[in-house]
């Protein structure tokens, strides 16, 4: 079945860039997503990329997709304390209606 | 404001008891979903519904039941058959079938007494 993997924890200093990585196994994914979860809350869609793209930029966020290696990354420029959260990548695998497979989530800690 | 409301925020279940988690949306979305989140794990899909009066099992449906009698509402019942119910439960919706841009509620933490 589909598998999505992320490292569990990342710590960065305020003002630095954060890079959160994700690998997936299903080559039929058409969209890949990044969601953010703040403590005790639901997930919020941050950004997504279509599988025929290799980069997407949205303000401080840059998504890079290496389809050959099945590797997705999220770069957050000028990381702020408000960026502290858990970040999930997700892929739609077979494309079956809304059957997203989520990674384990990466907890981003921003220190002063 | 449009959104998804889950209640209660915290819920405690006694052994052998069924409990129901509420999920209501006023986004006029057709599709609704229930996910379970355990610490250090990704979200796992319990049930989803693409239209009123229809729902499908997700990856971990055993011990759970749902109904979709109204477009706005998708309650989840955790039955006594679910032996390990302690988790954070998230409800989500999307505009339509096949749209994976999910909008999430703020979650219900279920614990066993």
């Amino acid at each position: 079945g589909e598998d999505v993997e992320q490292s569990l924890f990342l710590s960065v200093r305020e003002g630095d860039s954060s890079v959160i990585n994700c690998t997936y196994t299903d080559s039929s994914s058409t969209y890949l997503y990044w969601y953010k979860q703040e403590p005790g809350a639901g997930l919020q869609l941050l950004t997504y990329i279509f599988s025929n793209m290799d980069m997407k930029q949205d303000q401080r966020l840059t998504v890079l997709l290496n389809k050959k290696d099945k590797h997705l990354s999220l770069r957050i420029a000028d990381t702020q304390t408000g960026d502290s959260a858990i970040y999930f990548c997700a892929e739609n695998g077979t494309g079956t209606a809304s059957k997203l497979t989520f990674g384990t989530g990466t907890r981003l800690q921003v220190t002063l | 404001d449009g959104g998804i409301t889950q209640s209660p925020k915290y819920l405690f279940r006694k052994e052998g008891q069924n409990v129901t988690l509420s999920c209501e949306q006023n986004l006029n979305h057709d599709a609704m979903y229930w996910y379970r989140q355990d610490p250090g794990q990704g979200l796992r899909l319990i049930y989803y519904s693409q239209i009123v009066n229809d729902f499908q099992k997700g990856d971990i449906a055993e011990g759970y039941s749902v109904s979709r009698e109204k477009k706005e509402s998708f309650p989840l019942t955790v039955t006594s058959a679910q032996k390990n119910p302690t988790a954070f439960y998230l409800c989500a919706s999307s505009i339509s079938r096949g749209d994976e841009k999910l909008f999430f509620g703020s979650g219900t933490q279920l614990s066993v007494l």
Side-chain angles (χ1 to χ4, degrees), chain B residues 89-106:
Chain B
Y89 290 86
L90 287 161
C91 179
S93 69
S94 65
I95 291 173
S96 63
R97 166 184 180 166
D99 188 323
E100 294 141 353
K101 301 176 196 67
L102 303 181
F103 290 75
F104 282 83
S106 56

Side-chain angles (χ1 to χ4, degrees), chain B residues 6-25:
Chain B
Q6 289 187 242
S7 62
K9 181 73 175 169
Y10 300 96
L11 186 58
F12 296 91
R13 191 191 91 165
K14 294 179 184 176
E15 206 165 320
Q17 186 182 40
N18 292 353
V19 292
T20 297
L21 284 61
S22 170
C23 178
E24 303 276 331
Q25 55 101 356

Side-chain angles (χ1 to χ4, degrees), chain B:
Chain B
D1 285 335
I4 301 180
T5 302
Q6 289 187 242
S7 62
K9 181 73 175 169
Y10 300 96
L11 186 58
F12 296 91
R13 191 191 91 165
K14 294 179 184 176
E15 206 165 320
Q17 186 182 40
N18 292 353
V19 292
T20 297
L21 284 61
S22 170
C23 178
E24 303 276 331
Q25 55 101 356
N26 61 2
L27 298 166
N28 200 32
H29 285 176
D30 283 331
M32 296 186 75
Y33 315 83
W34 275 106
Y35 286 91
R36 171 180 169 140
Q37 183 179 20
D38 294 280
Q41 296 190 35
L43 278 65
R44 292 182 290 168
L45 182 64
I46 305 172
Y47 267 99
Y48 64 102
S49 167
Q50 295 170 347
I51 198 166
V52 175
N53 292 323
D54 183 61
F55 48 83
Q56 308 293 330
K57 290 183 180 180
D59 300 319
I60 55 164
E62 188 174 344
Y64 300 98
S65 66
V66 292
S67 62
R68 187 85 187 278
E69 295 174 5
K70 298 187 299 182
K71 188 175 184 178
E72 301 80 19
S73 179
F74 191 41
L76 173 74
T77 297
V78 184
T79 74
S80 57
Q82 173 49 247
K83 297 306 179 190
N84 183 24
T86 297
F88 191 54
Y89 290 86
L90 287 161
C91 179
S93 69
S94 65
I95 291 173
S96 63
R97 166 184 180 166
D99 188 323
E100 294 141 353
K101 301 176 196 67
L102 303 181
F103 290 75
F104 282 83
S106 56
T108 293
Q109 175 64 50
L110 175 63
S111 303
V112 176
L113 287 176

Side-chain angles (χ1 to χ4, degrees), chain A residues 21-90:
Chain A
N21 295 302
C22 172
T23 58
Y24 60 98
T25 57
D26 195 324
S27 57
S28 65
S29 301
T30 51
Y31 282 96
L32 296 114
Y33 300 84
W34 284 104
Y35 283 84
K36 176 184 180 182
Q37 184 181 35
E38 296 185 3
L43 277 68
Q44 172 192 3
L45 177 63
L46 274 183
T47 187
Y48 60 95
I49 189 167
F50 188 50
S51 59
N52 69 353
M53 298 170 65
D54 52 21
M55 186 180 93
K56 180 179 180 181
Q57 188 151 2
D58 183 2
Q59 299 183 326
R60 291 191 298 122
L61 304 179
T62 303
V63 179
L64 295 177
L65 175 61
N66 181 329
K67 200 171 179 185
K68 174 176 167 289
D69 294 339
K70 299 190 188 70
H71 182 266
L72 181 73
S73 68
L74 174 70
R75 178 176 179 269
I76 305 173
D78 187 25
T79 311
Q80 303 297 308
T81 54
D83 295 323
S84 293
I86 302 176
Y87 291 81
F88 291 91
C89 66

